[in-house]
Amino acid sequence: MSATDWTMAPTGPDRPEATALLEAYYEEVVRRYHDRPVRPGEVAAAMADDPSDDLAPPTGILLVAHRDGRPAGCAGLRYRPGWAELTRVYVRPAHRGHGGGAALLAAVEERARAAGADRIRLDTRSDLVEARALYARHGYREIPAYNAGVYAQHWFEKVLS
């Protein structure tokens, strides 16, 4: 399997397939942050504290990645003046190792360019080592902090050509 086995579709963050992926994303980041099973209500609270409703036109976009006809991952962009912020990058565990992360990055980069962005920035946490490795492999470089996100520990940027 390769990145060509994936299809991308812009989807409203309130659509059922997007909501299910965002819930899975939050479940994983909450579990990993606390290094324990997720407690009842934690995912809903995290989603309420950091909503995804701006990942829809005109302020952003949420792409849902499909593999074998099933929703298998997602990535969002928030449009900023001249640049875009990458967020909510997630691939379901059963689909990892099959090029989904690379396919999502290529798709959001294409969308960012089309929206007039000259670069993409993102923040992530230290415990998300796989994400940091993915970004580095695809040309994102660490930069000084560009925001004061509560959970942000690493900041990356890729200049789009």
Side-chain angles (χ1 to χ4, degrees):
M1 289 284 191
S2 69
T4 59
D5 298 315
W6 294 79
T7 59
M8 306 293 156
T11 307
D14 59 344
R15 304 289 302 162
E17 69 179 9
T19 300
L21 285 163
L22 291 169
E23 286 172 352
Y25 162 83
Y26 275 101
E27 182 175 336
E28 182 165 336
V29 296
V30 168
R31 178 183 48 77
R32 288 179 70 159
Y33 181 77
H34 294 293
D35 195 27
R36 60 164 170 72
V38 174
R39 295 180 180 149
E42 280 185 313
V43 170
M47 291 178 78
D49 286 346
D50 190 16
S52 300
D53 55 343
D54 61 343
L55 300 179
T59 56
I61 190 169
L62 181 67
L63 295 179
V64 170
H66 293 85
R67 181 169 171 259
D68 298 330
R70 295 190 172 116
C74 63
L77 283 177
R78 289 188 178 103
Y79 298 128
R80 308 293 190 209
W83 61 284
E85 183 175 34
L86 179 62
T87 188
R88 311 292 193 274
V89 178
Y90 177 74
V91 175
R92 290 187 185 277
H95 298 278
R96 293 179 185 166
H98 297 281
L104 281 162
L105 290 180
V108 295
E109 290 167 12
E110 181 181 316
R111 296 291 180 133
R113 278 187 205 92
D118 66 3
R119 66 194 180 281
I120 293 178
R121 289 182 171 173
L122 64 97
D123 66 61
T124 192
R125 299 186 330 224
S126 293
D127 62 315
L128 301 176
V129 294
E130 303 91 345
R132 291 182 11 239
L134 173 73
Y135 303 135
R137 259 191 328 272
H138 291 277
Y140 290 77
R141 62 177 182 81
E142 284 211 53
I143 60 169
Y146 69 88
N147 67 20
V150 175
Y151 301 105
Q153 297 169 313
H154 297 269
W155 296 263
F156 286 83
E157 178 179 80
K158 181 174 183 177
V159 175
L160 303 172
S161 52

